[in-house]
Amino acid sequence: MNIDEWQDLKFGVIIHWGPYSQWGVFESWTLCQEPDPWCARPAQWADDPAGYQKAYEMLPETFDAPAFDPGSWAASCAAAGMKYAVFTTKHHDGFAMYDTALSEYKVTNTPLGRDVTREVFDAFRARGVSAGVYFSKPDWHSDDYWIRDRPHPDRFANYSPAEEPARWQRFKDFTHGQIRELLSGYGPVDILWLDGGWVREPREDLDMPALATEARSLQPQILVVDREVHGPQEAYRTPEQTLPDEVQPFPWESCITLGPMWYTAGPDETYKSVTEIVHLLCRVTVRGGNLLLGLGPDHTGAIPDAVHQRLAGIGAWLDVHGGAIYGTRPIAPFERDGLLFTAKDRDVYAIGLLAAEQDLPTEISFHWPGEKPERVDLLGVDDAVAWRWQASLDTHGSQMISVTMPKALIEHAYVLALRY
């Protein structure tokens, strides 16, 4: 797809999952000895990083996941209104969630014994959802990235590629080879979402121009994302767990988790509410971005019921109000008088965010710098709304639109459609 088509999609899902889900720990990061809280090991290994790494790397031996059902994942995400899915084919720990021929550290060598990536992509495509490959550029399992008999105190390769060029060339060939597998044997892939932004030139040069060129030769429609590098191979930017304050002049996507983390920690996990996600999606959209919502199945392979419930609630709102989201672009004044504005063709949408249990206001008034619309509708309500156009200009050259709101039950956010 091209970047305009991707910007039209607005809402996607990124799914992190792997053997680490059996412990409910951070994906990969507990292998890293940096002082950040997400790198903290479980208490019994707090002072034994080598012992922890050995135990962590044995997790595939018990990875069974009897409830793994990618069809249910895809059905729930599609019903939520998600248009593209990015699946973690390999995170920093180096464990491949697909049947790579270049490593034995892979999901088909576990008790689960299934090519998870293939099944996930097939299930999502069957629901009309585009497939995207998440792939980690670093690989902490590879002896050509983290050499086993040398300390690896941080996320970087624990040797100098300039001083050991043959070793680094092996790693580069291995990385290119695994990406080639994913882009030549798993059907149409619309996004290559490369993580691990510290793997970049000059120190850890993977020859991104060559990698991106090959990716596009294998999948001509693909968007290549070299996260955090902000170079020529980054089709769009990907702020994590945040969103910009203003409209951005470039394509972008916020990747934000439904729960506290990218993984599911256990049955007592807490999640953002439907209202929070709907509001987040609206705020991202009005700033010109896409929302990539992060979630993870539990250790059995099931998406928790609480996640399914939230996805259903988001989808119910989008079924009625999606016209104000999909295919739109920001329009000035973007945010004003408590409303968020998007536009598509000859329609302008004014989105009002509602707090939980909040009733619709009886009247909405806002300044509008454009022409007088032909009509004003409230999405999801069949009855016509009464509105008036006040011709007096304010100091910003705007005129006032006032809308008398009907008595109607609308959850999360309402949308006024200004038709021209």
Side-chain angles (χ1 to χ4, degrees), residues 30-33 37 39-49 52-53:
T30 48
L31 294 170
C32 184
Q33 298 177 50
C39 296
R41 293 178 293 279
Q44 63 267 42
W45 288 288
D47 300 316
D48 184 11
Y52 180 73
Q53 182 170 358

Coordinates of all heavy atoms in Angstrom, one line a residue, residues 30-33 37 39-49 52-53:
T30 N 14.1 -8.4 30.1 CA 14.7 -8.9 31.3 C 16.0 -9.6 31.1 O 16.7 -9.9 32.0 CB 13.7 -9.8 32.0 OG1 13.2 -10.8 31.1 CG2 12.5 -9.1 32.6
L31 N 16.3 -9.8 29.8 CA 17.7 -10.4 29.5 C 18.7 -9.3 29.5 O 19.9 -9.6 29.6 CB 17.7 -11.0 28.1 CG 16.8 -12.3 28.0 CD1 16.7 -12.6 26.5 CD2 17.4 -13.4 28.8
C32 N 18.3 -8.1 29.4 CA 19.2 -6.9 29.3 C 19.6 -6.4 30.7 O 18.7 -6.3 31.6 CB 18.6 -5.8 28.5 SG 19.6 -4.4 28.1
Q33 N 20.8 -6.1 30.9 CA 21.3 -5.7 32.3 C 21.4 -4.2 32.5 O 22.1 -3.7 33.4 CB 22.6 -6.3 32.6 CG 22.6 -7.8 32.6 CD 24.0 -8.4 32.8 OE1 24.7 -8.1 33.7 NE2 24.3 -9.4 31.9
P37 N 13.6 0.0 34.8 CA 12.8 -0.9 35.5 C 12.3 -2.1 34.7 O 12.0 -3.2 35.2 CB 11.6 0.0 36.0 CG 11.7 1.2 35.1 CD 13.1 1.4 34.8
C39 N 13.9 -3.8 32.7 CA 14.9 -4.8 32.6 C 15.1 -5.7 33.9 O 15.9 -6.6 33.9 CB 16.3 -4.2 32.2 SG 16.3 -3.4 30.6
A40 N 14.3 -5.3 34.9 CA 14.5 -6.0 36.2 C 14.1 -7.5 36.1 O 13.0 -7.8 35.5 CB 13.6 -5.3 37.2
R41 N 14.9 -8.4 36.6 CA 14.7 -9.8 36.5 C 13.8 -10.2 37.7 O 13.8 -9.5 38.8 CB 16.0 -10.6 36.6 CG 16.8 -10.4 35.3 CD 18.2 -11.2 35.5 NE 19.0 -10.6 36.5 CZ 19.8 -9.5 36.3 NH1 19.8 -8.9 35.1 NH2 20.5 -9.1 37.3
P42 N 13.0 -11.3 37.6 CA 12.3 -11.8 38.8 C 13.3 -12.0 40.0 O 14.5 -12.3 39.8 CB 11.8 -13.2 38.3 CG 11.6 -13.0 36.8 CD 12.8 -12.1 36.4
A43 N 12.8 -11.9 41.2 CA 13.6 -11.9 42.4 C 14.6 -13.0 42.5 O 15.8 -12.8 43.0 CB 12.7 -11.8 43.6
Q44 N 14.2 -14.2 42.2 CA 15.1 -15.3 42.4 C 16.4 -15.2 41.5 O 17.4 -15.9 41.7 CB 14.4 -16.7 42.2 CG 13.9 -16.9 40.8 CD 12.4 -16.5 40.6 OE1 12.1 -15.4 41.1 NE2 11.6 -17.3 40.0
W45 N 16.3 -14.4 40.4 CA 17.5 -14.3 39.5 C 18.1 -12.8 39.6 O 18.8 -12.4 38.7 CB 17.1 -14.6 38.1 CG 16.9 -16.0 37.8 CD1 17.8 -17.0 37.7 CD2 15.6 -16.6 37.6 NE1 17.2 -18.2 37.4 CE2 15.9 -18.0 37.3 CE3 14.3 -16.2 37.5 CZ2 14.8 -18.9 37.0 CZ3 13.3 -17.1 37.2 CH2 13.6 -18.4 37.0
A46 N 17.7 -12.1 40.6 CA 18.1 -10.7 40.7 C 19.6 -10.5 40.5 O 20.1 -9.6 39.9 CB 17.6 -10.0 41.9
D47 N 20.3 -11.4 41.1 CA 21.8 -11.3 41.1 C 22.5 -12.4 40.3 O 23.7 -12.7 40.4 CB 22.3 -11.4 42.6 CG 21.8 -10.3 43.5 OD1 21.8 -9.1 43.0 OD2 21.4 -10.6 44.6
D48 N 21.7 -13.0 39.4 CA 22.2 -14.1 38.6 C 21.8 -13.9 37.1 O 20.9 -14.7 36.6 CB 21.7 -15.4 39.1 CG 22.3 -16.6 38.4 OD1 23.2 -16.5 37.6 OD2 21.8 -17.8 38.7
P49 N 22.3 -13.0 36.4 CA 21.9 -12.8 35.0 C 22.2 -14.0 34.1 O 21.4 -14.3 33.2 CB 22.6 -11.5 34.6 CG 23.8 -11.4 35.5 CD 23.3 -11.9 36.8
Y52 N 19.6 -16.6 34.8 CA 18.3 -16.2 34.3 C 18.2 -16.4 32.8 O 17.2 -16.9 32.2 CB 18.0 -14.7 34.6 CG 16.7 -14.2 34.1 CD1 15.5 -14.6 34.7 CD2 16.6 -13.4 33.0 CE1 14.3 -14.2 34.2 CE2 15.4 -13.0 32.4 CZ 14.2 -13.4 33.1 OH 13.0 -13.0 32.5
Q53 N 19.3 -16.0 32.1 CA 19.3 -16.2 30.6 C 19.2 -17.6 30.3 O 18.4 -18.0 29.3 CB 20.6 -15.6 30.0 CG 20.6 -15.7 28.5 CD 21.8 -14.9 27.9 OE1 22.6 -14.3 28.6 NE2 21.9 -15.0 26.6

